[in-house]
Amino acid sequence: MSTIQENLLNVQDLILKFANQSHRKVEDIKLLAVSKTKPVEKIIEAYAAGQRRFGESYAKEAELKIKEIRSMGYKDITWHFIGPIQSNKTKIIAECFDIVESLDRIKIAKRLNEQRPANLPPLDILIQVNISSEPQKSGCTFDEIDEIASYVRSAANLRLIGLMGVAENTTESSEITAQFARLQQKFESMKSNDENISELSLGMTGDMAEAIACGSTEIRIGTAIFGAREYPDKTKIPAVDTTYAG
Ligand SMILES: *Cc1c(COP(=O)(O)O)cnc(C)c1O
């Protein structure tokens, strides 16, 4: 079995390869290591190999791991929340995370703004858009982006920096590209009017190539770094959201 360090090197090689194919600079594509369901030791192993950005999807699980890792003295990790957000979890998220990539409604933005501790910098926000239009997936519609964006821009403790999307889980590459390209177009138009907009979070283990070709500035990789996810307690799997599939 390969180590996390080897897996990270392999993923970085792939990013370089796809960046070259798309005539993009590799420095413009960040790697988010998605550590949901993975224990603290695995995160520390990735940290030791140089990884500093981590993504988590379940607020309670993440809170425990982040507090433990911070108490061990690791303070230069950037924590990204990428899962569906329930109202009763916004306080944990506002207190523990640096970036939220899965904001998809104003109600949640209001709570995050109110609950962001005053001693912390504004919470960086990406709006998640349901680019595959699958009913079970998180994310707002394309029509809703502007209204959510203007609320976030008006909130003192939030800072809008970009957009996030999850493509359909399909082997049809052209379908994935079409979904990514539509969000890229919206990203480019927002970016031209707002200097804070810099992040387009697209791509997972199965669709990195398409994402990088469509201008992704951050790919979110779990399986290719940490191996397949195991869910020991099946009751913790959200019944309706398949964001973690793949
Ligand atoms: C779990 C998850 C990922 C990582 O998926 P892999 O296929 O394991 O790379 C990426 N993005 C989101 C939103 C996720 O929930």
Side-chain angles (χ1 to χ4, degrees):
M1 216 181 84
S2 48
T3 65
I4 287 174
Q5 182 179 22
E6 286 164 348
N7 292 345
L8 277 167
L9 289 172
N10 285 336
V11 170
Q12 281 152 4
D13 278 351
L14 284 173
I15 296 175
L16 180 62
K17 181 177 108 181
F18 297 137
N20 287 337
Q21 282 173 5
S22 308
H23 309 288
R24 297 188 54 203
K25 285 189 273 178
V26 71
E27 311 84 74
D28 292 344
I29 305 158
K30 296 182 269 290
L31 172 59
L32 181 71
V34 176
S35 48
K36 66 189 182 211
T37 80
K38 299 298 175 183
V40 164
E41 306 86 78
K42 300 281 180 193
I43 297 174
I44 300 301
E45 212 177 314
Y47 180 96
Q51 183 65 31
R52 292 293 181 273
R53 293 185 182 84
F54 291 88
E56 291 281 341
S57 298
Y58 308 109
K60 277 284 189 197
E61 175 202 333
E63 178 187 29
L64 293 173
K65 294 195 296 190
I66 292 172
K67 284 184 173 161
E68 183 177 340
I69 290 170
R70 286 200 176 124
S71 75
M72 292 163 82
Y74 299 100
K75 309 232 189 260
D76 60 344
I77 294 176
T78 309
W79 293 102
H80 297 229
F81 192 82
I82 62 172
I85 308 177
Q86 296 161 278
S87 291
N88 64 353
K89 301 291 183 337
T90 51
K91 188 162 187 288
I92 295 176
I93 295 169
E95 289 176 356
C96 295
F97 283 84
D98 304 292
I99 303 183
V100 170
E101 301 199 8
S102 45
L103 180 79
D104 62 3
R105 49 201 202 277
I106 289 175
K107 180 187 166 193
I108 296 295
K110 281 187 175 148
R111 293 178 65 91
L112 292 171
N113 184 50
E114 283 161 15
Q115 293 169 336
R116 180 67 169 173
N119 62 320
L120 294 180
L123 187 59
D124 283 338
I125 300 285
L126 280 71
I127 296 173
Q128 182 176 359
V129 184
N130 185 354
I131 58 174
S132 67
S133 307
E134 295 167 281
Q136 77 276 19
K137 285 266 182 77
S138 299
C140 68
T141 65
F142 276 87
D143 290 343
E144 292 167 334
I145 299 173
D146 289 340
E147 198 184 342
I148 299 172
S150 54
Y151 177 78
V152 175
R153 288 195 188 96
S154 75
N157 301 318
L158 306 178
R159 189 173 69 124
L160 184 66
I161 62 166
L163 300 174
M164 187 269 257
V166 177
E168 193 178 336
N169 189 1
T170 169
T171 51
E172 207 59 56
S173 180
S174 62
E175 188 50 46
I176 294 170
T177 297
Q179 293 172 9
F180 283 164
R182 190 173 172 207
L183 196 64
Q184 179 185 24
Q185 204 173 30
K186 180 67 183 173
F187 169 74
E188 293 297 344
S189 98
M190 287 171 72
K191 194 177 145 146
S192 64
N193 296 313
D194 181 344
E195 61 185 17
N196 284 333
I197 301 283
S198 59
E199 302 305 322
L200 179 62
S201 176
L202 292 177
M204 304 167 43
T205 295
D207 52 23
M208 284 172 65
E210 292 89 345
I212 290 172
C214 290
S216 174
T217 65
E218 180 195 85
I219 54 166
R220 309 176 307 270
I221 304 294
T223 308
I225 297 173
F226 296 107
R229 282 178 290 280
E230 287 164 41
Y231 293 93
D233 181 355
K234 290 233 175 354
T235 60
K236 284 188 186 139
I237 304 177
V240 287
D241 198 285
T242 59
T243 317
Y244 54 82

